[in-house]
């Protein structure tokens, strides 16, 4: 049986393999959270050049949030937290659609420095999201978006509770991720969607949509989760 790496590179052009390798380095099996953060910090200056042509997560995330907040003249008032904001690509997509009240949460200082240059975020928060409480008050945001923040050594399942805590009742949470991570990343396999369902049973949020999308990243399928906070 081919490894996940071999399967991932099977249909890539030779010119795409180097970019895939850099992305894989941040998602390799067994990577710790600290190693992941260091990897992104080193990669930050070249991140968009490497990943940009092969990564459509920000567009999927923005499209999902736009379906929740359809009145374009009201979008400037929607307060959004961009979790795992990276270099600010999601923020740029959101701003292009009229969402201009955005904060960024990102554990890599190198990535956050790149995001700062775009001048689209009100607040830049250098923190990870997980079990511990972030430096954010309850019910702060109308929406929260995660694109590319899920993976080996990345955001743990328990972080969903923290996401819900910082979003207002009636607000939206959108998580976009590579579909295959649900099948082999141990933190998510038989756990993530079950925990999502548990939180719904607890009355914490309600699922609005679960969409499977083509060409999320490197021609791989993605999943777009959209929830409303109760």
């Amino acid at each position: 049986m081919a490894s996940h790496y071999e399967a991932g590179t099977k249909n890539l052009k030779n010119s795409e393999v180097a970019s895939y390798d850099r992305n894989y380095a941040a998602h390799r099996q067994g990577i710790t959270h600290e190693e992941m953060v260091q990897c992104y910090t080193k990669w930050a200056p070249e991140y968009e050049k490497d990943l940009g042509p092969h990564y459509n997560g920000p567009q999927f995330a923005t499209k999902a949030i736009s379906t929740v907040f359809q009145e374009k003249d009201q979008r400037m008032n929607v307060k959004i937290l961009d979790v795992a904001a990276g270099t600010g690509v999601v923020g740029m997509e959101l701003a292009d659609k009229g969402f201009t009240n955005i904060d960024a949460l990102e554990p890599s200082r190198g990535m956050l420095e790149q995001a700062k240059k775009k001048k689209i975020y009100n607040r830049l928060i250098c923190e990870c999201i997980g079990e511990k409480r972030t430096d954010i008050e309850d019910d702060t945001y109308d929406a929260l978006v995660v694109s590319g923040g899920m993976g080996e050594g990345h955001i743990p399942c328990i972080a969903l509770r923290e996401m819900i805590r910082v979003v207002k009742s009636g607000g939206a949470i959108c998580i976009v991720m590579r579909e295959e991570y649900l099948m082999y990343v141990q933190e998510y396999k038989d756990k993530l969607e079950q925990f999502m369902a548990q939180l719904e049973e607890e009355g914490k949020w309600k699922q609005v949509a679960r969409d499977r999308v083509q060409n999320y990243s490197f021609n791989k399928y993605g999943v777009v989760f959209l929830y409303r906070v109760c």
Side-chain angles (χ1 to χ4, degrees):
M1 180 181 294
S3 68
H4 299 307
Y5 173 81
E6 291 170 332
T9 57
K10 184 177 180 180
N11 297 315
L12 295 182
K13 299 175 182 177
N14 290 336
S15 59
E16 297 173 323
V17 173
S19 295
Y20 185 88
D21 284 348
R22 292 187 184 95
N23 184 63
Y24 182 80
H27 291 263
R28 67 185 184 275
Q29 186 175 5
I31 192 172
T32 66
H33 182 80
E34 292 72 19
E35 289 171 338
M36 177 273 295
V37 172
Q38 291 173 6
C39 186
Y40 279 115
T41 294
K42 292 178 181 178
W43 190 17
E46 303 297 322
Y47 176 83
E48 289 181 38
K49 184 178 75 173
D50 286 338
L51 205 57
H54 315 291
Y55 177 49
N56 297 306
Q59 291 91 330
F60 288 126
T62 300
K63 181 179 179 180
I65 291 295
S66 297
T67 65
V68 178
F69 303 98
Q70 297 184 11
E71 298 296 327
K72 294 183 179 180
D73 60 345
Q74 296 297 316
R75 289 178 179 174
M76 67 181 69
N77 300 317
V78 178
K79 191 173 179 65
I80 300 177
L81 180 63
D82 181 5
V83 172
T87 60
V89 180
V90 173
M92 289 291 288
E93 288 289 333
L94 288 167
D96 187 58
K97 297 300 181 183
F99 298 100
T100 55
N101 191 4
I102 316 169
D103 290 346
L105 182 80
E106 166 60 46
S108 164
R109 291 192 179 279
M111 297 289 268
L112 210 55
E113 282 299 316
Q114 297 297 317
K116 183 178 181 180
K117 295 176 183 178
K118 293 182 171 60
K119 299 181 179 180
I120 52 172
Y121 294 109
N122 296 323
R123 184 183 179 196
L124 297 163
I125 309 165
C126 192
E127 281 191 63
C128 62
I129 191 164
E131 186 173 4
K132 294 182 179 179
R133 183 186 175 101
T134 56
D135 184 26
I136 300 171
E137 295 298 320
D138 295 357
D139 308 320
T140 296
Y141 296 99
D142 301 298
L144 179 152
V145 61
V146 182
S147 178
M150 310 299 284
E152 189 84 21
H154 285 57
I155 295 174
C157 294
I158 194 63
L160 299 182
R161 290 196 183 277
E162 181 66 4
M163 294 180 195
I164 291 169
R165 182 186 70 78
V166 303
V167 175
K168 301 172 185 176
S169 177
I173 295 178
C174 176
I175 300 171
V176 188
M177 63 183 293
R178 195 182 293 188
E179 182 187 48
E180 64 184 15
Y181 291 163
L182 295 169
M183 303 170 192
Y184 66 76
V185 172
Q186 290 304 305
E187 175 65 23
Y188 307 143
K189 183 181 179 182
D190 300 325
K191 296 175 184 176
L192 180 59
E193 291 197 87
Q194 288 81 347
F195 188 49
M196 288 175 164
Q198 177 187 326
L199 291 170
E200 189 162 6
E201 290 172 5
E202 291 176 8
K204 302 296 185 183
W205 65 4
K206 185 175 180 60
Q207 188 176 88
V208 176
R210 183 199 187 279
D211 297 323
R212 186 176 189 243
V213 294
Q214 291 183 315
N215 197 22
Y216 162 73
S217 176
F218 292 98
N219 297 313
K220 292 174 176 287
Y221 281 98
V223 180
V224 181
F225 296 100
L226 184 61
Y227 284 86
R228 282 278 198 177
V229 174
C230 296

